[in-house]
Amino acid sequence: MSKLIGPFKEILTLSRTPEKGALADSSLDIIKNGGVLIEGKKILEVGDFNDLRKNDVTIEEIEGSHVLLPGFIDCHTHLVWGGTRARDYTLRMSGESYEKILEQGGGIFDSVEKTRAATKEELKTGLIKRAKRHLKDGITTIEVKSGYGLDVENELKILEVVKNAKGDIEADLIPTCLAAHVCPKEFTNKKEFLEYLEKELLPKLIEKDLANRVDIFVEPSAFPVEIAKDYMSAAKKLGFDLTIHADQFHTGGSQIAVELGARSADHLEASTEMEVEILAKSDTVAVALPGASIGLGMQFTPARKLLDAGASLAISTDWNPGSGPMGDLLVQAAILGIYEKLSSAEIFSGITFRAANALGLNDRGRLAEGMKADMIAFPVDDYREILYNQGKIKPDMVWKNGKQI
Ligand code: NIG
Ligand code: FE
């Protein structure tokens, strides 16, 4: 039996909003006084509430004024970690650099030590707590990277935690293997470490069905371009989808992301005109991580330039214990928007269907026939109130697969 949910003052359907390039708010495809007809987990129709109620359907009546959007999608997080990096953050506030802290054996290495020491139960508790907070904020699909294990045993442990957590949270968790985050202290040669991952870890991910996405941090302080390219080519040959931590402090990463046909190139704070052009001509989604810029006190990704050049831009939190401890997608997207001069359509697309595309998912992120009924309602009567309130107004209703949470 189908079900009609509504009425909503406005439904931002994003049903035909283009995948790439700059967007005007007219492309939001807004339906006023709308309703959504759903059957099971999927949307049958989105339209005028009074027209849709003429069908023989059960009605889930919405009280008060609300604006409905597709559930948000966070396409880049590192939600499984042990310990805290408050000490690092305090050092950074006093002027110490992220790269210097890492060079001295802190930073990511600190989280690796605490994550290796944590039990699966402890890691799962942390993951569920963060994912629940995200779901409450309207994020119905969450990508989750490993990357604080840095050896076969601990990387598998983290990805198994993600797999086991799926039954405890309604949001979809999309795992990505970021074992190539930095070179662990046990290896003195970075190339040898990547060869070890290629031979010992990647085949196990397929065997145990733990992840079909592989990521790498391309940076002189992590993995330089030349050796990163060999590892990612090998991962591609094994059938993995690729994504790259690219151009955070130095360029190079986005170029190999495009060359290898990666789904996304994420960070891009250091990208120049050349990288912007290369990304714009490709199908690789450019992912801005304003939470990392805020967490490190550095410049934002050149989002405006990327969009004007014709790129697809997603926005994500990079929620992690080091560079991105805040993890509030809407706050961060709103802040990026006002600094980079983005339209509401560009911002909402970046946290819905464009983020889905970065994950290779085409069944969500728009409110249209056949799409997943992942939806969020904000207690406002005009969509412009949402970004104007800079993330302080959260959705008060969230539906995942057609069910209200
Ligand atoms: O996306 N830059 C590399 N990796 C993460 C941060 C990880 C950490 O600091 O723990 C990022 O910013
Ligand atoms: Fe990251």
Side-chain angles (χ1 to χ4, degrees):
M1 175 78 170
S2 42
K3 177 170 74 175
L4 174 63
I5 308 176
F8 298 100
K9 272 266 165 191
E10 297 176 334
I11 301 182
L12 274 55
T13 67
L14 299 151
S15 62
R16 286 163 306 177
T17 317
E19 282 289 353
K20 290 183 71 178
L23 299 169
D25 281 0
S26 52
S27 72
L28 284 167
D29 269 322
I30 299 176
I31 295 174
K32 300 227 183 224
N33 298 312
V36 183
L37 194 60
I38 63 170
E39 171 99 19
K41 298 177 175 181
K42 297 228 163 126
I43 295 174
L44 277 183
E45 197 178 338
V46 186
D48 181 86
F49 182 75
N50 290 320
D51 285 349
L52 290 172
R53 78 185 310 168
K54 288 177 192 144
N55 300 302
D56 174 28
V57 288
T58 316
I59 295 179
E60 197 174 305
E61 185 103 25
I62 301 299
E63 308 272 331
S65 291
H66 285 87
V67 170
L68 189 77
L69 282 97
F72 291 154
I73 294 167
D74 193 351
C75 64
H76 180 141
T77 82
H78 309 241
L79 287 195
V80 186
W81 75 77
T84 161
R85 300 250 292 282
R87 180 184 156 274
D88 278 22
Y89 192 83
T90 309
L91 283 173
R92 291 208 300 275
M93 285 196 296
S94 67
E96 195 60 283
S97 84
Y98 179 76
E99 286 171 294
K100 190 78 182 285
I101 296 170
L102 181 67
E103 205 181 283
Q104 290 168 347
I108 294 172
F109 291 115
D110 194 22
S111 294
V112 170
E113 200 182 309
K114 309 275 165 40
T115 307
R116 283 180 176 176
T119 64
K120 277 183 159 185
E121 287 64 36
E122 287 164 342
L123 294 176
K124 186 171 154 187
T125 303
L127 167 61
I128 297 286
K129 189 174 116 202
R130 295 170 196 126
K132 284 209 160 141
R133 196 190 92 185
H134 239 22
L135 182 59
K136 199 159 174 267
D137 288 352
I139 296 117
T140 48
T141 298
I142 310 168
E143 186 256 16
V144 183
K145 299 176 195 297
S146 63
Y148 297 118
L150 309 187
D151 61 24
V152 170
E153 181 194 338
N154 286 288
E155 285 292 314
L156 289 177
K157 175 175 88 172
I158 294 167
L159 290 166
E160 275 159 8
V161 165
V162 179
K163 191 171 179 178
N164 293 336
K166 287 183 182 174
D168 295 275
I169 176 91
E170 292 92 342
D172 287 324
L173 304 180
I174 311 291
T176 303
C177 177
L178 176 60
H181 201 177
V182 289
C183 185
K185 291 170 183 158
E186 301 82 52
F187 280 79
T188 46
N189 184 308
K190 293 179 178 182
K191 195 166 171 51
E192 277 172 24
F193 174 61
L194 293 185
E195 282 165 2
Y196 153 79
L197 294 181
E198 180 190 330
K199 295 204 172 61
E200 309 289 331
L201 178 63
L202 299 189
K204 290 209 175 72
L205 300 182
I206 301 170
E207 197 183 299
K208 293 172 179 277
D209 190 24
L210 288 173
N212 60 17
R213 296 164 42 85
V214 168
D215 195 349
I216 188 167
F217 184 18
V218 178
E219 259 308 312
S221 59
F223 298 99
V225 172
E226 312 75 52
I227 62 169
K229 200 172 166 184
D230 290 342
Y231 172 69
M232 293 305 261
S233 303
K236 188 177 175 173
K237 278 203 194 96
L238 287 169
F240 288 98
D241 272 359
L242 309 182
T243 172
I244 294 185
H245 276 70
D247 304 358
Q248 185 178 14
F249 303 105
H250 301 87
T251 55
S254 57
Q255 193 154 352
I256 61 168
V258 171
E259 277 171 37
L260 295 174
R263 292 267 183 212
S264 72
D266 306 29
H267 272 296
L268 312 174
E269 295 89 335
S271 297
T272 69
E273 302 284 336
M274 186 179 97
E275 287 74 31
V276 166
E277 276 307 313
I278 293 171
L279 285 160
K281 285 203 190 87
S282 77
D283 288 329
T284 299
V285 178
V287 182
L289 305 170
S293 298
I294 297 166
L296 300 179
M298 66 185 283
Q299 78 274 15
F300 289 111
T301 301
R304 183 70 265 146
K305 286 187 178 155
L306 282 157
L307 287 162
D308 287 343
S312 180
L313 181 91
I315 305 167
S316 173
T317 60
D318 197 16
W319 196 356
N320 74 72
S323 61
M326 183 210 290
D328 192 315
L329 184 60
L330 191 55
V331 167
Q332 294 169 4
I335 290 173
L336 182 74
I338 194 70
Y339 276 91
E340 279 292 311
K341 312 302 169 208
L342 308 181
S343 68
S344 299
E346 289 164 341
I347 297 172
F348 288 133
S349 298
I351 55 180
T352 56
F353 69 91
R354 287 179 170 181
N357 193 21
L359 297 174
L361 302 171
N362 57 13
D363 61 350
R364 64 196 76 191
R366 300 179 191 266
L367 298 179
E369 188 192 342
M371 289 282 168
K372 261 179 184 291
D374 293 355
M375 315 185 293
I376 57 180
F378 286 85
V380 294
D381 56 13
D382 179 326
Y383 77 87
R384 292 172 298 189
E385 292 290 337
I386 300 171
L387 293 167
Y388 165 61
N389 279 280
Q390 300 180 314
K392 285 305 274 184
I393 296 184
K394 302 293 187 198
D396 62 355
M397 285 177 268
V398 176
W399 291 263
K400 177 67 192 167
N401 290 319
K403 267 216 220 124
Q404 197 176 343
I405 309 289

